[in-house]
């Protein structure tokens, strides 16, 4: 079971609370772009996916992330902005919001991390995604070996990625793109998934070079699971739902990447 965090008390939040402002002119190389958006639509995300950026006025540290998340989903400006672009997210009692979330790892900074799909035989040498007999797994169609690796914990292929690997944000991005939405027209080759994974990764995470020349991610990534008794995060329970809040502590930017699954019928 993943660790769901409810509160951290190591460092007190600002007395006045965190304040946020939408940055309406923020643009992305993935979501909404002329090149990538048609693929996101093809994969079934459509209007149920959202990506946006806010600015937080106070510094955010790993120890104040819980308090920031609570204030974020209580903020009138945030609630109003998200209600316009996320059909399933609703906050009806801000004073009762208590965010439950899981911290994502950002150690994987290279697409070679995903080579394990080829190593285990889910992807061929030329990038072809290997199919399989379709099976329903918790309402999700398992139509190829990549999906089996990601979701089917009883499969021999599941251990291709460790439990720690599965907490890597890079793994999560790729997985979400693979499964898509209800009207997903999936690809036969992995190249487009890799390209969009890289674009989303670059849009959401901020990196810098260390003194040794290595790439280091400075962003904090929270996978939000629930708003407690104060709101509804998704329109329907589904393993395909996701909501990430990504904080750049240097620029004080807060990015949201959201998808609320809605069945076709």
């Amino acid at each position: 079971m993943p660790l769901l965090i409810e509160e951290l008390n190591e460092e007190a939040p600002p007395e006045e609370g965190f304040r946020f402002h939408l940055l309406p002119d923020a643009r992305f190389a993935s979501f909404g772009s002329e090149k990538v958006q048609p693929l996101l639509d093809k994969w079934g995300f459509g209007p149920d996916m959202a990506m946006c950026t806010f600015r937080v006025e106070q510094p955010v540290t790993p120890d104040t992330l819980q308090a920031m998340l609570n204030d974020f989903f209580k903020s009138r400006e945030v609630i109003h902005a998200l209600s316009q672009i996320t059909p399933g997210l609703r906050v009806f009692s801000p004073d009762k919001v208590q965010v439950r979330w899981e911290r994502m790892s950002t150690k994987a900074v290279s697409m070679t991390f995903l080579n394990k799909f080829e190593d285990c035989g889910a992807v061929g040498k030329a990038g072809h995604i290997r199919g399989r007999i379709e099976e329903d797994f918790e309402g999700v169609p398992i139509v190829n070996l990549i999906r089996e690796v990601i979701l089917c914990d009883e499969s021999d292929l599941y251990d291709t990625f460790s439990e720690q690997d599965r907490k890597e944000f890079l793994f999560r991005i790729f997985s979400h793109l693979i499964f898509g939405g209800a009207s997903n027209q999936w690809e036969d080759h992995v190249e487009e998934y890799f390209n969009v994974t890289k674009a989303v990764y670059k849009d959401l995470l901020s990196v810098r070079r260390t003194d040794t020349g290595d790439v280091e991610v400075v962003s904090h990534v929270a996978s939000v699971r629930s708003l407690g008794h104060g709101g509804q995060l998704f329109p329907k329970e589904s393993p395909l739902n996701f909501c990430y809040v990504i904080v750049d502590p240097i620029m004080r930017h807060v990015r949201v990447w959201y998808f609320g699954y809605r069945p076709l019928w």
Side-chain angles (χ1 to χ4, degrees):
M1 292 291 290
L3 174 63
L4 294 181
I5 304 172
E6 292 191 353
E7 60 180 337
L8 294 170
N9 297 317
E10 288 88 342
E11 183 174 326
E15 291 184 6
E16 70 277 14
F18 291 93
R19 298 187 305 276
F20 308 89
H21 304 285
L22 177 68
L23 301 180
D25 295 328
R27 295 293 180 266
F28 303 98
S30 57
F31 179 80
S33 73
E34 184 176 337
K35 182 178 180 180
V36 174
Q37 189 61 46
L39 287 170
L40 297 176
D41 292 339
K42 178 184 178 182
W43 299 337
F45 292 112
D48 299 315
M49 176 186 283
M51 191 179 288
C52 58
T53 304
F54 296 82
R55 176 174 170 81
V56 57
E57 295 305 311
Q58 295 83 6
V60 181
T61 70
D63 292 337
T64 59
L65 195 51
Q66 174 73 60
M68 191 227 75
L69 288 170
N70 287 339
D71 287 347
F72 185 74
F73 286 102
K74 293 177 181 179
S75 164
R76 288 185 179 182
E77 179 160 351
V78 171
I79 293 171
H80 176 74
L82 293 182
S83 69
Q84 305 300 307
I85 58 175
T86 56
L89 193 157
R90 292 291 179 267
V91 176
F92 38 79
S93 296
D95 58 319
K96 295 181 180 179
V97 166
Q98 182 66 28
V99 178
R100 298 176 69 239
W101 58 286
E102 180 185 5
R103 193 185 305 275
M104 295 288 97
S105 176
T106 55
K107 293 180 180 178
V109 295
S110 169
M111 293 295 292
T112 58
F113 174 78
L114 300 175
N115 287 351
K116 293 180 181 181
F117 285 107
E118 182 177 327
D119 296 340
C120 74
V123 176
K125 294 292 184 182
H128 180 74
I129 300 172
R130 293 195 167 125
R132 48 156 288 170
I133 297 175
E134 183 171 339
E135 175 186 358
D136 181 89
F137 187 88
E138 298 182 2
V140 179
I142 307 301
V143 296
N144 56 51
L145 293 185
I146 288 185
R147 291 187 172 208
E148 181 176 327
V149 170
I150 294 171
L151 202 59
C152 299
D153 54 5
E154 295 183 357
S155 168
D156 292 340
L157 296 177
Y158 188 81
D159 289 337
T160 300
F161 290 88
S162 68
E163 290 305 314
Q164 184 58 44
D165 287 340
R166 293 169 182 274
K167 293 181 181 180
E168 288 292 337
F169 192 44
L170 184 61
F171 179 87
R172 295 294 184 94
I173 295 172
F174 179 76
S175 299
H176 295 315
L177 298 177
I178 285 289
F179 285 107
S183 60
N184 189 358
Q185 303 172 58
W186 48 79
E187 308 291 334
D188 293 326
H189 288 76
V190 77
E191 182 180 6
E192 294 286 24
Y193 294 120
F194 282 164
N195 290 340
V196 179
T197 295
K198 184 184 294 185
V200 171
Y201 186 92
K202 289 183 175 180
D203 275 340
L204 296 178
L205 296 183
S206 300
V207 301
R208 64 186 175 191
R209 290 280 181 182
T210 65
D211 293 339
T212 59
D214 296 325
V215 174
E216 175 185 59
V217 175
V218 299
S219 304
H220 309 305
V221 182
S223 174
V224 179
R225 301 300 186 83
S226 167
L227 302 181
H229 297 297
Q232 170 186 288
L233 196 56
F234 303 111
K236 178 182 175 64
E237 288 295 324
S238 170
L240 303 186
N241 291 330
F242 60 84
C243 178
Y244 295 99
V245 176
I246 303 101
V247 181
D248 178 340
I250 298 174
M251 297 296 294
R252 294 188 187 173
H253 284 173
V254 179
R255 298 183 178 94
V256 176
W257 186 37
Y258 173 96
F259 174 68
Y261 177 84
R262 287 194 293 180
L264 292 176
W265 56 83

